[in-house]
Amino acid sequence: MFGIGRHGVAVALGAVMLAGSTLVWGPASQATTGGEGSVGCVGHSESRYGPPLTLLARPTHVHADITYACGAHGRTIPATGSFDSEAPAASCVAVAGGSGTETVRYAGGGRSLIVYDGATTLRVAGALVVIQRGRVVEGRGQGHAVQRTITGLPRELPTECLTSGLRGGGNEVQLEMEP
């Protein structure tokens, strides 16, 4: 089996971040007021898995609290997100599914309720890359398509998968609401 090494992980994560960064800071002001632009947010999430992830795939609840900085009206607006998902088969190696809901609350008022209905998940040498796709179903940006990209490295040792399991992690998140 081929080892990808830390350099390969850095290249893969860098490529995903670069691709996402070209989308994230587009003209955000129009989308928050109902126009034809896009809204981009970057942030950090803290996730919890219940039960903890092990090598054995099993149904798992995933919850994440996210802090965002969103581009709007030529300035950055803080926001928070709360994400929940029921993965039918999740383990340290793979997550089946990708559906879930996220509520984004913007500083100064307003929110977006997002439903994710698909995802691509990749783990390379311990690094996690998840690209979720969905739609804003309520609130700011209602009807807009959404792409959410999550990247990160586990904080716990991989040996935790063999014992008590991974209880959670911190990841970088990019959120793009397209017109």
Side-chain angles (χ1 to χ4, degrees):
M1 180 143 240
F2 296 101
I4 201 159
R6 289 197 179 275
H7 178 70
V9 170
V11 169
L13 289 176
V16 168
M17 295 300 284
L18 181 59
S21 69
T22 61
L23 298 172
V24 169
W25 295 110
S29 60
Q30 292 106 1
T32 58
T33 59
E36 293 301 316
S38 62
V39 174
C41 303
V42 293
H44 181 79
S45 73
E46 289 295 326
S47 302
R48 294 182 302 282
Y49 312 120
L53 300 180
T54 63
L55 293 176
L56 177 65
R58 59 187 171 185
T60 304
H61 177 80
V62 179
H63 175 81
D65 293 310
I66 309 108
T67 54
Y68 286 117
C70 298
H73 305 291
R75 63 189 176 97
T76 301
I77 296 175
T80 59
S82 179
F83 173 83
D84 284 286
S85 176
E86 298 296 330
S91 71
C92 287
V93 180
V95 177
S99 61
T101 60
E102 180 177 12
T103 301
V104 179
R105 297 185 187 284
Y106 305 96
R111 72 179 181 92
S112 298
L113 177 60
I114 303 166
V115 173
Y116 297 101
D117 54 12
T120 302
T121 303
L122 174 65
R123 281 199 185 269
V124 179
L128 170 72
V129 178
V130 178
I131 300 173
Q132 294 176 301
R133 290 164 300 285
R135 184 160 301 283
V136 179
V137 295
E138 189 178 296
R140 284 188 183 181
Q142 184 171 350
H144 290 202
V146 176
Q147 179 172 299
R148 181 175 186 247
T149 304
I150 304 138
T151 57
L153 295 169
R155 290 184 295 196
E156 300 173 66
L157 295 173
T159 55
E160 293 297 313
C161 289
L162 300 172
T163 58
S164 61
L166 296 177
R167 291 174 173 72
N171 298 299
E172 301 309 308
V173 182
Q174 294 185 351
L175 183 66
E176 173 69 14
M177 291 183 211
E178 301 170 353

